[in-house]
Amino acid sequence: MLNSTYKVQNLQEFKPFLLSKKRIMGLDLGKKRIGVSVSTLSLNGALPLKTISEDKFSELLNLLKKIILEYDIKGIIFGLPKNMDGSEGKSAQSARDKADKICSELCIKYGFWDERLSTIAVERNFTIAKKSRAKKKDHKKDIDNLAAAFILEGAINYIMKSKY
């Protein structure tokens, strides 16, 4: 079992970072791609940043390290793929394991946000924006980083509205 000393028990641990204008990152862990987003300095949301192909773990870590340094990231929120009834299955355990491995290597605090329906919500927005099916297919990478932003924005709203 990996060392999870960086895992936060309560997302409120991220509030001091946000209040001091430090950014947190959102990651949407997919089977083939990882969507990346960062919080805004104005605390009003999250910006989709990029989508990373998960080919090699070492390459993934190097890319994340660069983003962490460039944006002065103080923590990471991972989307947690829960079942519709709120329970956690194999996908959630896989996300937890991957998050623990990534953050143990990066030595950074992390937490989870329920990502149920995040990708579906983002895909609907593409449809509402009248993207054709062909264009939508070309924008799978956009959907991944937009889903990461959707997840991070939900967590930020929760953190900032909750009493500390």
Side-chain angles (χ1 to χ4, degrees):
M1 180 171 219
L2 293 167
N3 178 359
S4 53
T5 55
Y6 298 101
K7 182 178 174 185
V8 300
Q9 298 303 314
N10 182 333
L11 289 183
Q12 290 305 311
E13 292 182 47
F14 289 108
K15 195 167 190 174
F17 299 146
L18 294 170
L19 292 175
S20 64
K21 305 290 187 194
K22 300 294 182 182
R23 289 185 162 157
I24 56 177
M25 180 189 300
L27 294 179
D28 180 27
L29 301 173
K31 292 178 183 175
K32 296 179 182 179
R33 293 177 303 274
I34 297 173
V36 181
S37 64
V38 295
S39 60
T40 62
L41 289 176
S42 61
L43 306 178
N44 65 354
L47 304 168
L49 191 61
K50 64 180 0 182
T51 299
I52 300 171
S53 293
E54 191 193 352
D55 295 330
K56 292 184 181 176
F57 187 70
S58 60
E59 290 175 12
L60 170 63
L61 286 178
N62 286 334
L63 287 168
L64 292 176
K65 283 178 190 176
K66 287 178 184 176
I67 294 167
I68 288 168
L69 289 172
E70 182 179 347
Y71 290 92
D72 193 23
I73 301 294
K74 298 299 180 191
I76 301 175
I77 301 290
F78 289 89
L80 186 64
K82 291 186 175 184
N83 296 323
M84 290 309 292
D85 65 2
S87 65
E88 293 184 20
K90 290 179 183 178
S91 294
Q93 188 57 53
S94 175
R96 287 185 182 279
D97 292 345
K98 197 177 290 186
D100 194 34
K101 187 175 179 183
I102 289 169
C103 293
S104 291
E105 291 285 333
L106 297 175
C107 302
I108 193 166
K109 286 189 173 214
Y110 69 103
F112 297 94
W113 184 253
D114 184 352
E115 72 165 37
R116 280 180 282 182
L117 303 177
S118 61
T119 301
I120 292 169
V122 170
E123 286 175 342
R124 282 188 185 153
N125 284 336
F126 264 81
T127 302
I128 290 169
K130 298 181 181 176
K131 300 282 184 187
S132 70
R133 283 198 178 269
K135 285 184 180 179
K136 184 177 168 185
K137 189 173 184 177
D138 291 340
H139 291 299
K140 282 190 182 258
K141 288 184 178 181
D142 292 334
I143 290 173
D144 293 326
N145 64 35
L146 287 169
F150 186 86
I151 291 163
L152 182 56
E153 197 163 300
I156 290 169
N157 288 337
Y158 170 78
I159 292 165
M160 297 310 293
K161 289 180 182 176
S162 297
K163 293 182 180 178
Y164 189 66

